[in-house]
Amino acid sequence: MDHKTKPLGKKSPTSSRPKNPMVSKQEKNFSSLGSPKDSQGTAPESVFALDFLRQRLHEKIQLARGQGSTKELSAATLEKRQRRKQERERKKRKRKERLAKQQVAEAEKKEEPVKVTPKMACKELPESGLIFNKVEVTEEEPASKAQRKKEKRQKVKGNLTPLTGRNYRQLLDRLQARQGRLDELRDQDAAKAQELEAKMKWTNLLYKAEGVKIRDDEHLLQEALKRKEKRRAQRQRKWEKRSEHVVEKMQQRQDKRRQNLRKKKAARAERRLQKAHKKGRVLPQDLERAGLS
């Protein structure tokens, strides 16, 4: 064999080179820190190096966040940052003021009830097709019939019912009854009759002051009753006349209908006779006309 064997103690120059550059760097760092034998002597230096690296990392992080030292920044950049900061603070103040105003306005709306004028109500009513009203339920029970009668009697002044309305016959009867009662009382006690008559007059005056139309004139009531009876009689005559006219019209229509039916019946009979004559038939009517029957 021509190949020469290499000694075991010696290494080739190619094998002594590091294969991985990262491994070589780590070996260099390890060699720079020293061997384990003198590690006690170089421990403070390694701690100082770690602190220095941490400080550098912290400065880079702050610089990336924009919170780093402003010594290296230019004046234009610093001024721009200051303007942005002032703009943010101004917008923040404006937002706070707007929110405060909204809260105050809402509080005022809740405290003050909305006043609706009649014009506004009239304008709002046609806009909606349906109107919903609030129904207030109270504990009071509805008034009974006796209570309503009692309230009505209390409204009557001087225990005298006013002579109002358009039932002239009833008003005339009531007025005549009052006059008859006064006449009877006048025969018994003139002073009491005079006092009652004055009371009636004052009561009627009070009703008239309230706007109630009092019909206490006998002559006017009689004339009004006559006019009413006359109008009633006129309406009665008009109604009777209208009824007669309606009956007459109905009778005329019935007569006309019967007449038309008779005409149609005669026309049909005549058509049958003509058809029979065309066919050459001799009918009893023809014999009678000829005198051969």
Side-chain angles (χ1 to χ4, degrees):
M1 295 294 292
D2 296 333
H3 297 285
K4 295 179 180 180
T5 58
K6 296 180 181 180
L8 295 174
K10 294 181 181 179
K11 293 181 181 180
S12 61
T14 56
S15 63
S16 63
R17 294 177 184 175
K19 296 180 180 180
N20 195 348
M22 295 299 293
V23 174
S24 63
K25 286 181 181 179
Q26 289 178 0
E27 288 177 356
K28 286 180 181 180
N29 291 333
F30 182 74
S31 60
S32 64
L33 291 175
S35 62
K37 292 179 181 180
D38 57 347
S39 61
Q40 294 178 358
T42 58
E45 295 178 1
S46 62
V47 172
F48 176 75
L50 289 173
D51 291 340
F52 179 73
L53 291 173
R54 286 197 191 98
Q55 188 177 358
R56 288 282 304 275
L57 179 62
H58 186 64
E59 288 177 359
K60 286 184 178 181
I61 290 170
Q62 285 185 349
L63 188 62
R65 290 179 180 176
Q67 298 176 356
S69 60
T70 58
K71 294 179 181 179
E72 300 176 0
L73 299 176
S74 62
T77 308
L78 290 174
E79 187 179 357
K80 191 175 181 181
R81 283 190 182 182
Q82 188 67 20
R83 284 201 304 270
R84 285 180 181 175
K85 188 176 180 181
Q86 290 176 359
E87 186 69 19
R88 284 196 299 271
E89 290 177 356
R90 187 179 64 80
K91 287 182 179 180
K92 196 173 181 180
R93 283 197 304 272
K94 272 193 172 184
R95 197 181 303 114
K96 285 183 179 180
E97 289 175 1
R98 188 167 60 252
L99 288 174
K101 286 180 181 179
Q102 288 179 358
Q103 290 176 358
V104 171
E106 288 177 0
E108 288 178 355
K109 285 181 181 178
K110 288 180 181 179
E111 290 176 359
E112 296 180 1
V114 180
K115 296 180 180 179
V116 181
T117 59
K119 291 183 179 179
M120 291 172 64
C122 293
K123 288 181 181 178
E124 290 175 0
L125 283 176
E127 291 178 359
S128 60
L130 295 174
I131 301 170
F132 299 93
N133 294 330
K134 291 183 179 179
V135 180
E136 295 183 358
V137 181
T138 58
E139 297 181 357
E140 297 179 0
E141 297 181 357
S144 61
K145 191 175 181 180
Q147 190 175 358
R148 288 197 298 271
K149 282 186 176 179
K150 186 178 178 182
E151 291 176 356
K152 191 175 180 181
R153 283 197 301 271
Q154 287 176 355
K155 289 180 181 178
V156 175
K157 295 178 175 59
N159 202 14
L160 288 174
T161 307
L163 297 170
T164 58
R166 292 184 178 275
N167 192 351
Y168 301 118
R169 187 177 295 280
Q170 184 185 10
L171 291 173
L172 191 59
D173 292 340
R174 287 170 59 189
L175 186 61
Q176 289 174 356
R178 283 187 185 182
Q179 293 294 335
R181 193 162 62 251
L182 278 173
D183 292 339
E184 289 178 3
L185 189 60
R186 196 176 288 110
D187 294 339
Q188 295 175 4
D189 191 350
K192 285 186 179 180
Q194 191 175 1
E195 184 180 353
L196 181 59
E197 189 176 3
K199 183 180 178 182
M200 287 180 180
K201 288 181 180 179
W202 275 109
T203 306
N204 290 335
L205 286 173
L206 289 173
Y207 280 123
K208 286 179 181 179
E210 289 182 357
V212 180
K213 191 171 183 180
I214 302 297
R215 304 178 189 274
D216 56 350
D217 193 337
E218 187 176 356
H219 180 66
L220 293 176
L221 283 174
Q222 288 176 354
E223 288 183 354
L225 182 59
K226 286 180 183 178
R227 287 195 301 271
K228 189 175 181 180
E229 292 293 339
K230 188 177 179 180
R231 286 196 298 270
R232 184 178 293 174
Q234 287 176 355
R235 286 196 295 268
Q236 185 68 24
R237 285 195 298 272
K238 284 182 180 179
W239 178 256
E240 290 175 358
K241 189 176 179 180
R242 180 179 178 278
S243 300
E244 291 175 0
H245 183 67
V246 169
V247 171
E248 186 179 355
K249 283 284 185 184
M250 288 174 65
Q251 190 65 36
Q252 287 176 1
R253 285 196 294 270
Q254 290 290 335
D255 294 341
K256 191 174 182 180
R257 183 173 177 274
R258 290 193 190 97
Q259 188 178 359
N260 291 333
L261 289 173
R262 284 196 297 269
K263 285 180 179 179
K264 286 181 181 179
K265 190 175 181 181
R268 282 197 299 269
E270 188 67 26
R271 284 197 298 272
R272 290 195 193 101
L273 289 173
Q274 288 177 1
K275 285 181 181 180
H277 288 156
K278 286 179 180 179
K279 290 179 180 179
R281 293 178 183 177
V282 178
L283 299 174
Q285 292 86 348
D286 297 333
L287 295 175
E288 287 177 1
R289 290 173 187 173
L292 299 174
S293 59

